[in-house]
Amino acid sequence: HEGISGALEVELEDFTKVTVSDNHLLYTGSTFASREATMAKHVKIGDKLVSSDGSAKAVLSVKDTAAELVNVLTMEGSIELENGVIISTHSFNENLYSAAFYPIKMMYKWIGAPAVKKAQPYLVELEFMFKPYFSVFAESI
């Protein structure tokens, strides 16, 4: 992502917020073990987002907003936010994104961060090229 883009702001029962793209995957459910990867645009009031302390935080509201979004890539495929909520680092479909970004993860593991930094133009092009296909495929499953 680059610059300000359309996003969704999910407010939780502890009044913290999670701001992501509408296709970003959030973990809904009561625990990490029983989580379900759900596109942010499908999260509803009353759903619960998985938290690192073993609890789940209820969704109070979901609204459109604009934000500067960052596309984070981790080896694990998930990340803990400041408010303790654990979200996927993928959009649309975890298996598709894992496969698409596997070469980058291996480059990081074998060569290190400088190699991944040099691959930044490839990452941008990869996202631009595959995003329409991921969207259609993810909506069909």
Side-chain angles (χ1 to χ4, degrees), residues 36-68:
E36 184 175 323
T38 306
M39 277 192 263
K41 65 183 174 185
H42 297 304
V43 171
K44 303 176 295 298
I45 295 171
D47 284 352
K48 295 188 181 236
L49 298 188
V50 174
S51 182
S52 61
D53 66 5
S55 68
K57 298 183 179 189
V59 173
L60 294 181
S61 69
V62 180
K63 62 183 179 181
D64 291 323
T65 190
E68 187 166 349

Side-chain angles (χ1 to χ4, degrees), residues 1 26 50 97 110:
H1 303 285
L26 301 178
V50 174
Y97 260 63
W110 296 331

